[in-house]
């Protein structure tokens, strides 16, 4: 079959949305959908149950309701629908009040800047929106504290500078117990205090009702609190108050953003697999990795403003699908590794390996039809910068195909709030479908919790190591022996303390075993 014939056979277009998916450069067998028919049917049934309010996260006994956020009519109760609608309206109204000067900073001036404190989905989603669909000159600039890196925090606060007096800070944490976010909040509080400002008069919380953060914000008299629900996971929370408040403050058409996701939901909810873009994505992932995640997903959007989309998908896909056990308790070690860049920057980065190196990946190209809002400019007779961008996309796709490297191409007419919502809706449902195809729970993250527990243990031992230091000096093994902990862990704790002025290096041995550390 010619490339042209295969393209026509495996090209699906939603003309009403201007969206298309091309899977013709994936080398799947013609009978794939037939072989997978039973699993496909089961995946559709799972989705119906999920959207209907069934317990879709069996480990935590929770519903999974991010689809309701863009269409509250789907919510399983009238009370829940009302809560979703009221929260959305409240975030948009609050943003409008801030823009209008009805809510002012403590100095009586209008807020001019937003600082978001969060991590994971509480930051990645708002960062994607900020980069992709905010106006070029937004009504309010935005900054993020999305890690517990002191140097990174200092740089952000230095960039805000004197504008801190008119900066509204949004602290996002469902439980209120996430340490990175807690640390960011405390660092922000310290910065406001150092500037002679009352943090509470600049702070808004997005958190679970009754959480530690909710109680803290209430006690301190913060400006406002918006709810997070236990049925919305962090990586799918962008269309809740987690994302809608910050987006509205930056001038994003939030309702259009939600409408785009809802429109894709309509197209992918019931269409048969052969024309269902989300199911086709899931099936291509299954084909490429033989249902075991054996190939990585390389995401290449040919649009600068989508450079963070690969990072967003990295969390959505990897945290959802990276699981040790399936729903039957069998060890399966599932997952799909995701990484990416942007076109045509990738031409000068890792496309060399993609074409000529190890064939352990498949590419997802994202094509945006409209090159720019301004009038076209020819960089040479007959050709614009946008022509070159399209040429590099098509050239890279062809060059990869010539070497048997598989790819999917997704196309949208332009990058705006509606179409970003559409893309997010597409991938969210694809993740759900794939999880059903391989029989895993996409909505818990036990590995993340294990890392948090290990970090807590490290910090407890760090305090013990600090207390075990003497004036004359000890080796890591001596400290570890005294405390009954691992010697390598003790060594890393001692070097950390020394690097930050909380210990001193007495002498360096021939290797780590001979290094001596003492109290300061």
């Amino acid at each position: 079959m010619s490339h042209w014939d295969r393209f026509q056979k495996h090209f699906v277009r939603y003309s009403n949305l201007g969206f298309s998916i091309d899977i013709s450069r994936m080398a799947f067998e013609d009978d794939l959908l037939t072989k997978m028919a039973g699993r496909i049917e089961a995946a559709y049934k799972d989705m119906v149950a999920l959207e209907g309010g069934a317990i879709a996260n069996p480990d935590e006994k929770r519903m999974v309701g991010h689809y309701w956020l863009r269409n509250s009519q789907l919510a399983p109760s009238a009370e829940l629908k009302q809560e979703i609608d009221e929260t959305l309206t409240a975030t948009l109204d609050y943003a409008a009040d801030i823009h209008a000067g009805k809510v002012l900073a403590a100095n009586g001036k209008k807020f001019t800047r937003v600082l978001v404190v969060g991590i994971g989905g509480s930051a990645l989603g708002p960062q994607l929106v900020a980069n992709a669909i905010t106006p070029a000159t937004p009504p309010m600039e935005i900054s993020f504290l999305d890690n517990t890196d002191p140097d990174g925090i200092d740089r952000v606060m230095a960039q805000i500078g004197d504008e801190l007096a008119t900066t509204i800070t949004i602290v996002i944490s469902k439980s209120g117990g996430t340490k990175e976010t807690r640390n960011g909040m405390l660092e922000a509080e310290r910065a406001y205090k150092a500037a002679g400002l009352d943090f509470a008069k600049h702070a808004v919380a997005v958190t679970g009702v009754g959480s530690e953060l909710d109680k803290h914000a209430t006690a301190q008299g913060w400006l406002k609190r918006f709810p997070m629900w236990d049925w919305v996971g962090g990586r799918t929370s962008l269309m809740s108050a987690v994302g809608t408040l910050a987006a509205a403050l930056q001038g994003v058409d939030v309702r259009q953003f939600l409408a785009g996701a809802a429109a894709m939901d309509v197209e992918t909810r019931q269409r048969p697999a052969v024309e269902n873009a989300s199911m086709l994505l899931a099936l291509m992932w299954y084909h490429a990795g033989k249902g075991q995640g054996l190939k990585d997903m390389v995401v290449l959007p040919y649009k600068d403003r989508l450079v963070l989309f690969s990072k967003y998908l990295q969390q959505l896909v990897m945290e959802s699908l990276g699981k040790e056990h399936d729903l039957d308790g069998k060890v399966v070690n599932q997952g799909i590794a995701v990484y990416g860049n942007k076109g045509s920057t990738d031409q000068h980065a890792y496309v060399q390996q993609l074409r000529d190196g190890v064939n352990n990946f498949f590419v997802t190209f994202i094509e945006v039809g409209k090159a720019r809002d301004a009038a076209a400019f020819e960089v040479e007779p007959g050709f614009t910068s946008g022509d070159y961008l399209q040429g590099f996309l098509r050239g890279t796709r062809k060059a990869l195909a010539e070497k048997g490297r598989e790819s999917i191409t997704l196309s949208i007419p332009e990058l705006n709030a509606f179409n970003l919502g559409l893309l997010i809706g597409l991938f969210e449902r694809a993740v759900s479908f794939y999880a059903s195809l391989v029989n895993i729970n996409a909505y818990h993250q036990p590995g993340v919790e294990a890392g948090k527990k290990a970090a807590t243990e490290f910090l407890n031992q760090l305090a013990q190591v600090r207390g075990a230091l003497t004036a004359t000096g000890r080796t890591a093994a001596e400290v570890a022996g005294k405390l009954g902990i691992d010697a390598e862990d003790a060594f890393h704790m001692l070097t950390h303390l020394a690097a930050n002025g909380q210990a001193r290096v007495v002498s360096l041995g021939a290797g780590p075993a001979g290094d001596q550390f003492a109290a300061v």
Side-chain angles (χ1 to χ4, degrees), residues 143 147 171 175 182 231 471 495:
S143 302
N147 200 1
V171 182
S175 67
R182 189 279 312 270
W231 43 266
T495 55

Side-chain angles (χ1 to χ4, degrees), residues 220-406:
Q220 296 296 314
W222 286 19
L223 288 173
K224 194 79 172 177
R225 290 170 291 122
F226 295 98
M228 287 182 73
W229 302 288
D230 64 1
W231 43 266
V232 179
R235 55 189 173 275
T236 55
S237 65
L238 180 54
M239 297 181 190
S240 72
V242 168
T244 59
L245 177 58
L249 286 171
Q250 293 171 90
V252 171
D253 189 336
V254 171
R255 291 195 184 276
Q256 274 295 293
F257 178 55
L258 301 180
M264 182 55 74
D265 288 343
V266 169
E267 298 296 338
T268 56
R269 182 170 289 120
Q270 294 180 332
R271 279 180 180 263
V274 70
E275 59 184 48
N276 186 316
S278 289
M279 181 60 79
L280 289 174
L281 271 183
L283 287 167
M284 292 306 99
W285 300 350
Y286 189 97
H287 150 75
K290 302 186 184 303
Q292 302 170 58
L294 299 181
K295 286 196 174 183
D296 301 342
M297 183 193 309
V298 181
V299 181
L300 296 180
Y302 275 64
K303 178 65 69 173
D304 283 0
R305 289 189 282 137
L306 284 175
V307 68
L308 293 182
F309 196 54
S310 60
K311 286 183 67 176
Y312 180 80
L313 292 181
Q314 198 170 60
Q315 184 193 18
L316 176 65
V317 173
M318 295 179 72
E319 195 169 64
S320 297
L321 303 181
K323 302 299 161 64
E324 180 179 10
H325 299 96
D326 67 12
L327 290 171
D328 298 323
K330 181 182 175 182
V331 174
V332 290
N333 298 118
Q334 273 288 351
I336 300 174
V338 179
Y339 61 93
N341 198 330
K342 64 178 183 181
S344 65
T345 304
D346 61 279
Q347 294 284 139
H348 305 277
Y350 49 74
V351 164
Q352 168 62 35
Q353 176 169 315
L354 297 187
R355 187 174 189 271
D356 293 343
V358 59
N359 189 0
N360 63 345
F361 67 92
F362 61 97
V363 172
T364 301
F365 291 105
I366 300 176
E367 174 187 30
V368 180
K370 188 176 183 180
R372 72 188 332 160
D373 292 331
F377 169 72
E378 292 188 354
V379 294
E380 61 182 72
F383 298 103
T384 67
S385 298
D387 295 333
Y388 270 92
L389 189 67
Q390 176 69 188
F392 285 129
L393 187 160
R394 292 296 160 186
T396 300
R397 177 177 176 270
K398 184 176 182 179
L400 293 177
E402 288 172 348
K403 286 295 189 78
R405 313 305 166 101
E406 296 180 292

Side-chain angles (χ1 to χ4, degrees), residues 56-57 60 64 66 69-70 119-126 128 174 228 232-240 242 311-323 424 427-428 431-432 435 440-446 448-449:
N57 183 349
E60 300 175 2
V64 174
H66 50 278
L69 297 172
R70 55 257 201 169
I119 195 166
S122 296
L124 268 175
L128 170 63
K174 184 191 297 185
M228 287 182 73
V232 179
R235 55 189 173 275
T236 55
S237 65
L238 180 54
M239 297 181 190
S240 72
V242 168
K311 286 183 67 176
Y312 180 80
L313 292 181
Q314 198 170 60
Q315 184 193 18
L316 176 65
V317 173
M318 295 179 72
E319 195 169 64
S320 297
L321 303 181
K323 302 299 161 64
I424 289 171
F427 278 93
E428 283 182 347
V431 164
S432 291
I440 60 171
N441 177 4
Y443 299 108
H444 69 162
Q445 47 280 335
V448 176
E449 300 307 317

Side-chain angles (χ1 to χ4, degrees), residues 111-179:
F111 284 109
T112 60
R113 195 177 190 101
V114 186
L115 173 63
V116 171
V117 181
I119 195 166
S122 296
L124 268 175
Q127 285 171 324
L128 170 63
V129 166
N131 205 61
I133 56 173
T134 56
T137 55
M140 300 176 74
E141 294 291 340
I142 193 166
S143 302
F144 294 88
L145 297 183
D146 64 346
N147 200 1
T148 187
D149 175 11
D151 178 63
I153 292 169
D154 290 346
R155 289 177 66 86
V156 170
M157 302 314 295
Q159 290 163 1
I160 294 173
D162 293 339
E163 206 174 352
L164 189 64
T166 53
T167 295
I168 188 165
T169 294
I170 307 171
V171 182
I172 306 172
S173 175
K174 184 191 297 185
S175 67
T178 305
K179 299 306 181 185

